[in-house]
């Protein structure tokens, strides 16, 4: 077994409800080459560079978390692979004794997949909402399906195992493609997770309540074609997984609306501005950028703040489809 999969959960980061934080998601940029309709507005104002954590600051945060017992780091964004110099950060993070994961839209994988594997990235999640080029374009506004499919093939060729596809399904937009997406995942030997849309940031492109497609509806659609066997496997995430008898692929559901997963939450997120978010669905946070900039190169002070921040982690999130979004930040700021 590798040093990374041997890592036990001995995290010193424990919240008021006894939950141990062992998983950190770092948003490394708010920028992206796509403008997915559920994630961003068409016209986005991105942050000035000085507001964003530097690559060195991101490394210091990641290594402080690992020192405290975190065993899983995920880079996300925005599109993490469009951050300038990202490979130099990945090279350093790949040497830490923690699993290194990336969530990506796949557009840069045709050129980067091999390097990511070489530099120590353990696993990839790749977003894919449609297999039809025109629909893919409408959902991502600027994305090109053929590039993403080539990226998925490049990741497989580079030797990544257990690649997972992520699909956000919107009623009347891509809910007719659920089976096609599962077929595609099976044909490539990939897992696939369907995510319920979350009310992060105000969008006008569609009405989120109208577009809402529950995991239960999707489970029902897939069950008509495939036998879904509940898996007891713990993935350390909010996905509920199902196996299929004739396939190595798994189907997962992330259901922030219909199945609350807060009691098992083991994660925190760092926004691109260095705000440590204790919960995706609440604003409880600590300004870690200020700590980093007031106490440069002081890992002790940084670690003390991370430990203190655990007291801010709320018991659960409070998403509602009926109200105005309570969360004003977009997913690209947050690190989905
Ligand atoms: N750009 C990368 C990507 O698309 O995979 C990483 C960042 S993206 C914000 C991470 C994941 O969040 C993607 O799978 C995306 O589909 C999902 N996502 C974005 N906005 C969402 C929303 N409002 N509700 C649910 N999932 C969302
Ligand atoms: Fe970009 Fe990912 Fe958001 Fe789509 S979901 S706009 S690819 S950050």
């Amino acid at each position: 077994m590798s040093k990374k999969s041997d890592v036990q959960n001995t995290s010193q980061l424990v919240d008021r409800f006894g939950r141990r934080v062992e998983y950190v998601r770092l948003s490394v940029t708010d920028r992206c080459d796509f403008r997915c309709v559920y994630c961003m507005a068409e016209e986005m104002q991105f942050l000035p560079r000085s507001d964003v954590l530097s690559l060195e600051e991101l490394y210091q945060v990641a290594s402080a978390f690992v020192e405290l017992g975190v065993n899983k780091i995920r880079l996300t964004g925005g599109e993490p692979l469009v951050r300038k110099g990202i490979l130099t950060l990945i090279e350093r993070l790949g040497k830490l004794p923690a699993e290194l994961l990336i969530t990506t839209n796949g557009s840069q994988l045709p050129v980067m997949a091999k390097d990511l594997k070489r530099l120590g990235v353990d696993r990839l999640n790749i977003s894919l909402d449609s297999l039809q080029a025109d629909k893919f374009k409408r959902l991502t506004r600027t994305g090109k399906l053929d590039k993403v499919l080539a990226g998925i093939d490049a990741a497989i060729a580079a030797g990544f195992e257990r690649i997972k596809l992520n699909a956000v399904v919107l009623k009347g937009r891509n809910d007719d493609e659920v089976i096609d997406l599962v077929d595609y995942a099976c044909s490539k030997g990939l897992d696939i997770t369907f995510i319920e849309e979350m009310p992060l940031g105000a969008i006008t492109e569609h009405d989120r309540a109208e577009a809402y497609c529950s995991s239960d509806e999707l489970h029902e659609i897939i069950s008509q074609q495939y036998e879904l066997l509940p898996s007891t496997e713990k993935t350390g995430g909010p996905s509920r997984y199902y196996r299929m008898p004739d396939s190595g692929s798994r189907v997962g559901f992330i259901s922030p609306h219909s199945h609350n997963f807060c009691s098992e939450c083991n994660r925190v997120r760092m926004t691109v501005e260095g705000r440590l978010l204790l919960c995706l669905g609440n604003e409880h946070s600590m300004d870690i950028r200020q700590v980093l900039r007031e106490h440069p190169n002081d890992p002790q002070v940084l670690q003390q703040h991370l430990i203190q921040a655990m007291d801010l982690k709320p018991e659960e999130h409070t998403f509602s489809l009926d109200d105005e979004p309570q969360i004003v930040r977009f997913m690209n700021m947050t690190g989905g």
Side-chain angles (χ1 to χ4, degrees):
M1 273 217 265
S2 75
K3 63 180 169 100
K4 294 181 177 182
S5 52
D6 282 341
V7 177
Q8 301 294 315
N9 182 7
T10 50
S11 175
Q12 298 171 46
L13 299 168
V14 187
D15 77 359
R16 292 173 296 142
F17 307 96
R19 293 171 300 190
R20 231 171 250 280
V21 168
E22 53 178 341
Y23 179 8
V24 175
R25 301 170 74 107
L26 291 176
S27 177
V28 300
T29 178
D30 58 335
R31 287 161 202 261
C32 186
D33 48 345
F34 291 7
R35 295 283 183 281
C36 302
V37 295
Y38 46 76
C39 177
M40 291 197 188
E42 190 151 22
E43 297 296 326
M44 290 290 289
Q45 194 80 42
F46 294 111
L47 291 165
R49 192 153 301 277
S50 57
D51 286 358
V52 170
L53 292 191
S54 68
L55 295 174
E56 174 57 31
E57 288 168 332
L58 283 163
Y59 178 75
Q60 288 179 13
V61 168
S63 80
F65 270 117
V66 172
E67 281 287 319
L68 291 169
V70 159
N71 58 30
K72 197 154 140 183
I73 305 265
R74 180 179 298 280
L75 304 185
T76 176
E79 174 46 42
L81 300 182
V82 303
R83 170 90 196 239
K84 221 169 152 200
I86 190 68
L87 291 179
T88 59
L89 174 66
I90 289 171
E91 181 165 19
R92 296 179 77 191
L93 297 181
K95 294 180 180 138
L96 292 175
E99 270 194 296
L100 180 59
L101 321 171
I102 297 183
T103 301
T104 171
N105 65 23
S107 69
Q108 310 302 310
L109 288 177
V111 283
M112 291 175 106
K114 259 195 202 154
D115 284 335
L116 298 178
K117 181 77 186 149
R118 179 176 58 81
L119 297 175
V121 175
D122 293 288
R123 274 186 292 137
L124 295 175
N125 285 2
I126 307 173
S127 298
L128 181 69
D129 301 329
S130 172
L131 290 160
Q132 297 174 24
D134 54 340
K135 216 189 273 180
F136 185 87
K137 180 78 195 289
R138 282 199 296 277
L139 284 166
T140 60
R141 293 199 183 99
T142 54
K144 291 203 171 63
L145 176 67
D146 52 354
K147 230 171 152 185
V148 173
L149 296 182
I152 293 171
D153 287 337
I156 296 169
F160 280 101
E161 287 171 13
R162 291 246 78 95
I163 296 170
K164 181 162 77 74
L165 302 178
N166 279 339
V168 176
V169 177
L170 305 183
K171 192 151 277 170
R173 306 292 288 267
N174 58 343
D175 54 337
D176 57 334
E177 284 199 66
V178 173
I179 294 291
D180 290 349
L181 286 164
V182 176
D183 287 346
Y184 173 79
C186 290
S187 73
K188 298 273 176 189
L190 315 176
D191 291 340
I192 181 161
T193 291
F194 293 98
I195 308 174
E196 290 178 355
E197 184 182 7
M198 291 174 245
L200 298 176
I203 53 164
T204 52
E205 200 269 349
H206 60 275
D207 180 324
R208 281 182 160 139
E210 272 173 33
Y212 175 60
C213 234
S214 75
S215 296
D216 290 346
E217 286 172 69
L218 301 183
H219 183 282
E220 176 69 30
I221 295 172
I222 300 166
S223 300
Q224 288 169 15
Q225 196 89 13
Y226 290 99
E227 192 182 349
L228 293 179
L229 307 168
S231 162
T232 49
E233 222 172 304
K234 281 272 170 203
T235 56
S239 271
R240 289 170 300 129
Y241 274 108
Y242 295 81
R243 294 196 164 279
M244 293 176 282
D246 300 324
S247 165
S249 297
R250 296 179 305 172
V251 176
F253 299 97
I254 297 184
S255 324
H257 296 288
S258 54
H259 296 269
N260 186 306
F261 44 70
C262 302
S263 64
E264 290 168 31
C265 183
N266 62 349
R267 65 195 52 203
V268 292
R269 294 174 161 80
M270 182 73 76
T271 72
V272 69
E273 298 166 281
R275 191 153 70 96
L276 180 65
L277 277 178
L278 284 305
C279 170
L280 179 60
N282 281 291
E283 295 294 352
H284 306 70
S285 67
M286 183 179 273
D287 185 352
I288 295 298
R289 185 182 67 193
Q290 191 182 350
V291 177
L292 284 162
R293 294 187 182 173
E294 282 179 3
H295 306 273
N297 300 311
D298 192 338
Q300 297 306 328
V301 172
L302 178 55
Q303 287 179 26
Q304 274 160 20
H305 280 84
L306 298 179
I307 290 171
Q308 277 165 22
M310 294 304 119
D311 281 350
L312 302 174
K313 192 165 167 64
E315 190 166 13
E316 58 184 19
H317 69 243
T318 48
F319 288 146
S320 160
L321 282 166
D322 305 325
D323 310 328
E324 286 297 301
Q326 304 98 314
I327 306 294
V328 289
R329 60 190 143 75
F330 284 95
M331 192 66 136
N332 70 307
M333 297 284 300
T334 307

